[in-house]
Amino acid sequence: MRAQVLVGPQVCRYCAAMSEPLVVIDKVNKHFGDLHVLKDIDLSIDKGEVVILIGPSGSGKSTLCRTINRLETFESGSITIDGKTLPDEGKELADLRADVGMVFQSFNLFAHKTILENVTLGPIKVRKTPKAEADKRALELLDRVGVAHQKDKYPAQLSGGQQQRVAIARSLAMNPKVMLFDEPTSALDPEMVNEVLDVMVQLAKEGMTMIVVTHEMGFARKAADKVVFLADGEIVESNTPNEFFSNPTSARAKDFLSKIL
Ligand code: ADP
Ligand code: MG
């Protein structure tokens, strides 16, 4: 019984309560030419916390995700992951980046590799995991997201929802400390949205630290600890899902919610 409690979500609520920050974004500024796309972004995400990033199109949500992963550079401020500050380049950056899983709107699977190979490639190449061990772990992960029976197929033979679940398994295979999701369901046919969200809700329950860009309010209410509302590159509001959805304080958040709810 006790062991179950230790691996269950309870322990992670405990971690969150201890306020142990895993990702710390401190006064980050970024421009694209003249466009000031991230303005003094301050955001701290605790271990096991699930943060939803929401905001109008063009407000900088994708750029912020890409910046956390250092797919984008930034001019000032710092980003720390598990106590380590993101360097500009080199092996240390590659190591830190491997700790940050990212799932995009488009699934980006390798078209000419099987589902199993898509999941084992990173562990074998980057983590130097022996193939037999990588295969075993990949099968466990594919089973967890419900597509183990598709392991020998190629991405094009799977539905969008199945491909996105493979993309999640592929990220998890690297044992990331934090997972970023940038609108993971917005390219899916409506009937496939829930099968992907269910996997994400499960991950959140298991205590994964997650930053999720999504307009899926059901998911936000079910899984999020915090909703961060971004507009014009600024964090305008940050609150619990209940408070944010029922009592938005800023005019911009009220306006945004009136359009999407
Ligand atoms: P969101 O994900 O919230 O819709 P983005 O982060 O994609 O917003 O974009 C924020 C702003 O930065 C937008 O005005 C967008 O046009 C601009 N932008 C994004 N990527 C680039 C880029 N590579 N070069 C120039 N401008 C960009
Ligand atoms: Mg975006």
Side-chain angles (χ1 to χ4, degrees), residues 55-63 65-66 105 182-183 213:
S57 176
S59 55
K61 305 179 298 295
S62 293
T63 306
C65 284
R66 294 169 56 81
Q105 182 175 338
D182 190 1
E183 303 207 33
V213 179

Side-chain angles (χ1 to χ4, degrees), residues 28-32 34-42 53-64 215 228-237 250-253 255-256 259:
V28 163
N29 281 280
K30 174 172 183 63
H31 289 77
F32 283 121
D34 289 339
L35 179 69
H36 195 174
V37 65
L38 297 178
K39 300 173 184 163
D40 276 337
I41 298 288
D42 277 326
L53 267 185
I54 98 174
S57 176
S59 55
K61 305 179 298 295
S62 293
T63 306
L64 180 55
H215 293 163
V228 171
F229 176 70
L230 208 65
D232 293 327
E234 270 178 283
I235 294 181
V236 177
E237 283 191 46
S250 67
R252 279 190 288 189
D255 179 57
F256 176 74
K259 287 176 183 145

Side-chain angles (χ1 to χ4, degrees), residues 64-200:
L64 180 55
C65 284
R66 294 169 56 81
T67 305
I68 294 170
N69 206 9
R70 267 301 206 175
L71 293 169
E72 298 283 355
T73 56
F74 50 94
E75 293 97 39
S76 66
S78 67
I79 300 181
T80 307
I81 295 175
D82 207 10
K84 292 185 197 138
T85 302
L86 277 188
D88 284 335
E89 56 193 359
K91 177 171 183 314
E92 224 181 308
L93 174 61
D95 287 348
L96 265 185
R97 195 178 271 160
D99 285 340
V100 184
M102 184 139 180
V103 174
F104 301 89
Q105 182 175 338
S106 52
F107 331 121
N108 296 327
L109 297 177
F110 302 110
H112 302 293
K113 301 222 174 270
T114 65
I115 296 309
L116 184 66
E117 287 164 348
N118 262 277
V119 180
T120 56
L121 195 68
I124 291 172
K125 292 250 179 233
V126 180
R127 300 278 198 213
K128 310 291 178 212
T129 308
K131 184 175 178 306
E133 193 184 322
D135 280 354
K136 183 167 174 279
R137 168 105 171 110
L139 281 171
E140 283 165 15
L141 289 167
L142 288 170
D143 187 42
R144 197 159 132 194
V145 301
V147 285
H149 58 297
Q150 313 274 26
K151 69 181 174 63
D152 296 320
K153 291 193 176 160
Y154 287 86
Q157 296 172 283
L158 269 59
S159 72
Q162 289 171 330
Q163 288 187 57
Q164 194 59 308
R165 285 184 280 145
V166 174
I168 294 173
R170 181 175 62 172
S171 282
L172 293 175
M174 297 295 280
N175 291 326
K177 291 180 175 158
V178 52
M179 287 279 290
L180 307 177
F181 294 86
D182 190 1
E183 303 207 33
T185 59
S186 54
L188 297 177
D189 290 334
E191 75 271 20
M192 290 172 190
V193 166
N194 280 332
E195 65 191 54
V196 172
L197 292 179
D198 287 349
V199 168
M200 292 168 62

